[in-house]
Amino acid sequence: MNLFENAIKLRGFLAEDAKVPPSDGITEDAFSVLFLALMSGTWDIATNEWAPRTTVHRVVCPGPWFCGFTRGMKRGDYVEVEGELYIHDYDRPVVVEGERSTAKRYVSEIRAIQVRKLDRPLLVIDTGEDG
């Protein structure tokens, strides 16, 4: 048993084409970026309806191997990502009432360890009792 664990597994559809450097720009520090869209939601008791929500997660795929693997991935591809969650901050300039200052902005991303392209699932649509 590990005392600490930073592991995340996401499965969803790509929100846009993979961002991959050109072939001549791939070095040991190269990386590709995927934007993975996930559906979730909540049940609104007051209206007795499902309120869907889509979130998009930034997935950084480090290294030349990932650059080659993700090169052909397009918007709508169904993928599974295993990786680690990273949160980092940076100073962002802010102007309040004419005065300049800085504010910390926190950004989260997934650093991929493994990416799998999956077969697109068959979607079953419930059309209700009328057909």
Side-chain angles (χ1 to χ4, degrees), residues 66-88:
F66 272 128
C67 290
F69 181 75
T70 59
R71 181 169 303 284
M73 292 189 171
K74 300 285 182 202
R75 180 176 187 247
D77 285 348
Y78 188 52
V79 298
E80 180 178 83
V81 174
E82 290 182 37
E84 296 178 332
L85 177 65
Y86 279 83
I87 299 174
H88 52 90

Side-chain angles (χ1 to χ4, degrees), residues 6-7 60-62 65-66 81-84 110-115:
N6 181 3
V60 175
C61 305
W65 186 88
F66 272 128
V81 174
E82 290 182 37
E84 296 178 332
I110 311 302
R111 298 233 178 121
I113 295 170
Q114 188 171 44
V115 176

